[in-house]
Amino acid sequence: MVISIALKFCSMMMLSSPSVQFKPSVSSKYKPFTAFATLGEISVNKKCFFQKDEREQNGNLENMKRRRVLVFLVSTGLFPTLPSSGKTKIKNPYDEKRLLEQNKRRQRENNAPDDFPSFIREGFEVKVVASDNYVKRDNGLIYRDFEVGTGDVPKSGQQVTFHYIGYNESGRRIDSSYQQGSPAKIRMGTNALVPGFEEGLKDMKPGGKRRIIIPPELGPPVGPSTFFSSKQFEVFDVELLGIKDCTRRTIAFYSDVVCD
């Protein structure tokens, strides 16, 4: 009985007591946390959102205008594009002079003959420096006649007899028929010589002496199975001794070519 009366009294006190509100202190620097935004905050956020969207649209329009102006300037040539410095290499005259002096020094060390051409090699690019006495053909072959000779030039199928001395770009001798003790004999038009060598021989006359500068495009094949290990200019001093006609001779099942 006493317990029930006490419970009723407590419930009446709770209903009659005023509602307690927790207000933040004025000195507090933090805003009270609310789960729902007020109408004022909604209007402010909405206004900021529309202003931000408008700024983004204006920025996109400005970028499009700049791109159009840039494309117009480039296409009309008023604002030409600059070359890429990373892909282009400017040749320095000082480097060319230094490489030329190095090549000449090596040629002197190798006892290269007089009026020997110089070569400025920079990687795979080679520049030939020769006097005005040399003649350059359209296919890249360069030659100089020391003696013209007399008679007719060789024809395809004929045999030519000649002496030669081969040099590399440094003026070092790589081969010589004089050291072998006998001249070379080759039939023209049989692909027995490198293209540049036969090109330089085909318009020589007996008794003629010529220096032939063969570019890599007309030179011998390169590789581990050949004498030449890299693509370089080759220089040959050639002396044409004579030209002979050749005929094919057949005896029973044997056939050969005789030159007399």
Side-chain angles (χ1 to χ4, degrees):
M1 183 71 181
V2 176
I3 294 173
S4 62
I5 293 174
L7 292 172
K8 288 181 180 180
F9 178 78
C10 289
S11 62
M12 290 176 64
M13 289 294 294
M14 292 176 65
L15 291 173
S16 61
S17 62
S19 60
V20 180
Q21 295 181 358
F22 295 96
K23 295 183 180 181
S25 176
V26 177
S27 62
S28 176
K29 61 179 180 179
Y30 298 101
K31 255 180 107 177
F33 174 77
T34 57
F36 302 98
T38 62
L39 293 176
E41 291 176 348
I42 294 174
S43 62
V44 171
N45 293 336
K46 186 175 180 182
K47 183 177 180 182
C48 292
F49 174 77
F50 282 115
Q51 289 179 353
K52 181 179 179 181
D53 187 41
E54 185 177 358
R55 288 196 299 268
E56 290 180 353
Q57 291 181 359
N58 293 335
N60 293 334
L61 291 175
E62 188 68 22
N63 290 334
M64 291 179 64
K65 290 180 180 179
R66 291 178 180 176
R67 291 178 182 176
R68 290 176 181 175
V69 172
L70 183 61
V71 170
F72 172 76
L73 292 175
V74 172
S75 61
T76 55
L78 299 176
F79 185 70
T81 57
L82 298 176
S84 176
S85 60
K87 296 183 179 179
T88 57
K89 185 177 181 181
I90 301 176
K91 292 186 178 181
N92 191 350
Y94 175 76
D95 293 338
E96 287 192 359
K97 184 178 179 180
R98 177 177 55 83
L99 294 173
L100 180 60
E101 291 298 329
Q102 289 180 358
N103 183 249
K104 288 184 176 180
R105 176 172 51 83
R106 292 174 182 173
Q107 290 178 2
R108 288 192 297 266
E109 294 174 355
N110 294 324
N111 296 322
D114 296 335
D115 199 20
F116 196 82
S118 299
F119 300 91
I120 302 176
R121 173 174 288 275
E122 190 172 1
F124 293 101
E125 296 183 0
V126 182
K127 181 180 179 181
V128 182
V129 180
S131 64
D132 296 336
N133 297 323
Y134 287 85
V135 179
K136 184 176 181 179
R137 294 181 178 174
D138 295 336
N139 58 3
L141 185 74
I142 305 174
Y143 68 94
R144 177 191 172 182
D145 285 324
F146 294 95
E147 295 183 16
V148 178
T150 58
D152 297 329
V153 297
K155 300 177 182 178
S156 180
Q158 289 182 327
Q159 184 187 71
V160 292
T161 304
F162 58 92
H163 273 299
Y164 69 91
I165 303 175
Y167 305 90
N168 61 9
E169 294 177 0
S170 299
R172 183 173 61 87
R173 293 188 181 187
I174 56 178
D175 195 8
S176 174
S177 62
Y178 295 101
Q179 293 180 352
Q180 296 175 6
S182 60
K185 296 180 180 180
I186 296 294
R187 286 182 61 209
M188 300 291 289
T190 59
N191 296 327
L193 297 172
V194 297
F197 203 114
E198 187 166 348
E199 175 75 17
L201 271 176
K202 69 179 184 180
D203 58 348
M204 289 184 66
K205 298 178 181 180
K209 295 181 180 180
R210 172 177 289 186
R211 177 170 295 160
I212 306 171
I213 306 174
I214 303 176
E217 295 78 12
L218 301 176
V222 298
S225 60
T226 62
F227 178 79
F228 301 93
S229 59
S230 62
K231 290 187 176 181
Q232 293 188 357
F233 281 79
E234 306 295 337
V235 182
F236 289 92
D237 286 344
V238 183
E239 180 184 1
L240 184 58
L241 301 177
I243 303 173
K244 291 183 179 181
D245 293 325
C246 299
T247 57
R248 181 167 293 277
R249 179 181 61 181
T250 303
I251 301 174
F253 298 100
Y254 177 78
S255 176
D256 64 350
V257 177
V258 179
C259 302
D260 53 7

